[in-house]
Amino acid sequence: MAEREEVENKQVILNHCVRGSPKESDMEIRTARTKLKLPGGSSGAILVKNLYLSCEPYTYVTNGMSKMEGKIEGVNLESFNPGSPIVGYGVAEVLDSSHPNFKKGDLVWGITTWEEYSIITSTEGLFKIQHTDVPLSYYTGILGMPGMTAYAGFFEVCSPKKGERVFISAASGAVGQLVGQFAKLFGCYVVGSAGSKEKVDLLKNKLGFDEAFNYKEEADLNVALERYFPDGIDIYFENVGGKMLDAVLLNMTVHSRIAACGMISQYNLEHPEGIHNLLCLLTKRIRMEGFLVFDYYHLYPKFLEMIIPQIKEGKISYVEDIAEGLENGPSALIRLFSGRNIGKQLVAVTRG
Amino acid sequence: MAEREEVENKQVILNHCVRGSPKESDMEIRTARTKLKLPGGSSGAILVKNLYLSCEPYTYVTNGMSKMEGKIEGVNLESFNPGSPIVGYGVAEVLDSSHPNFKKGDLVWGITTWEEYSIITSTEGLFKIQHTDVPLSYYTGILGMPGMTAYAGFFEVCSPKKGERVFISAASGAVGQLVGQFAKLFGCYVVGSAGSKEKVDLLKNKLGFDEAFNYKEEADLNVALERYFPDGIDIYFENVGGKMLDAVLLNMTVHSRIAACGMISQYNLEHPEGIHNLLCLLTKRIRMEGFLVFDYYHLYPKFLEMIIPQIKEGKISYVEDIAEGLENGPSALIRLFSGRNIGKQLVAVTRG
């Protein structure tokens, strides 16, 4: 097929800025046409075929779909353009390049757009994939941003010590499932919360958590935490915010640490819930620290050195929830916010 | 006068556990009698004549007068005994000793009781005063717990850098006035909030703050902070909690720090106010850390080495609000919680 010929390019378009939780009707599937060759005279750009697209709160935030829109400071975000394909993380193959660092056939992960073929002009957000003897989809998860988030959050922000008691909310998610496994391998006692029996089973039976519970079945989160942490929580890996954070604060130990990675329960609220137990920070001398993975990418080579052997030796598992085809992208993104996904939610654009 | 003779011993008694803000009627002045000699056979104790007593939130908390009662974990607190003299920090002179480390005539500061003469059996809470060429009352403030709190909080918890923008609430208080001066000497831009025109004048004209404002006259704290920090706050030294904290969170910069030293606005509330802007911790990667001075007393010699010359050279001021006589102790303690004191509130038990 001549590269100058146009082909169909299926896209997921975000129609407008969404208030509250996103609905499928906020997005639409459109078919554009594109050439499989960069326009003449282009410089520093690459044309890619997208293989996997990642569904994550981040996708939601950067596309102006959330109350957090524009609020992540000090990070270069792609600006939100209604009527354009959603911007987000993905895994892609380079089809054409006018950038000296990329050539046809390279595999990359990083910021791309939700369509079959993307032209990426700002390549700073891309990492070249060196290890291809692992599932490529892993670069949307364990080997991509969520993996680095779990690694930096646990090892750099939580300052863990062997034997400490670790609690993780949204524990079966893209990041949580890894934090739990890192903590177990490190020698900690690990408990996770999740929103369904299936997820709780996953945590206990497949991911090796010491304990797990379904927060939706607990009348009193404080009581639930006291049950699993009679001597208190040394490290809390925070993914949800709101009522869970308030209950956790009551159960933290002296000199404990909270790594605030996400507060997914709050993103779509018109007014965030109030947190009432912050006085515990003082009486228990707790360090609570928000972090974003962008500040830690310099550690990515070190992270790969640790994680690739662990994957190959079967010491670490990674659970993915894969939607097949771009046309299932909108529902996959919405599943994430309703908590229906089991494990890392992603979209396989095309197989093979 | 024979040491075996009994003398009058005026005391401030806490009658019962207080709910809500304390009133004078919760305390009473009583006159007991005591010998100016330790009982025969006593070992490891000292008899002291109290010179100055410190009024501080800590006094309030440790005496079971607050909702925080029993909530400071990992710290040995004197237990609260209704009907006994209030327990708190003070400066005292040793009259008799059965402890090898203390002798008659020694001056000490640390945990004592609100009466003219105290028998102190647990002397771990005491520091011997070496420098007597400064006002002895300073050992309830700049040279005592508040001084160490300001020092540890600012230099150890806030991780300050020259040129950073520092905001301090309750800035004219025992701790705040020192944090501001430390920050100025360190090369920071410093703004404080306080609750009266007189305090604001003090901050700007005597204590060298760059700016100060009366929070009670601000309809919108967020607007006030934006006015003094158009480029955001790098360090917040938190003494009050509640609405101020919520407004500050909106104005913090990326990678900024909050040292939570106190939340005086919350201590007497049946239900603490909700904090709604914690998502900022995440988006701005803020580190928020509670601390208590007890964890930093090993730095006390280093602190004295810094501060004593600064006092003598007039580089640091310290504003005290001294109530004369034990009988004015209850009203002095209450002044602290109503914010009527100007500077460090203390009680001079006796002069000379």
Side-chain angles (χ1 to χ4, degrees), chain B residues 241-258:
Chain B
K243 289 178 185 61
M244 183 63 90
L245 175 56
D246 243 346
V248 165
L249 283 165
L250 295 176
N251 287 279
M252 297 298 284
T253 60
V254 168
H255 291 134
S256 55
R257 287 128 271 146
I258 298 174

Side-chain angles (χ1 to χ4, degrees), chain B residues 167 193 213-227 242-248 251:
Chain B
F167 177 57
S193 65
F213 65 91
N214 181 350
Y215 71 91
K216 291 179 181 168
E217 289 187 348
E218 300 290 343
D220 185 331
L221 291 172
N222 183 31
V223 170
L225 292 170
E226 281 174 353
R227 188 190 316 139
K243 289 178 185 61
M244 183 63 90
L245 175 56
D246 243 346
V248 165
N251 287 279

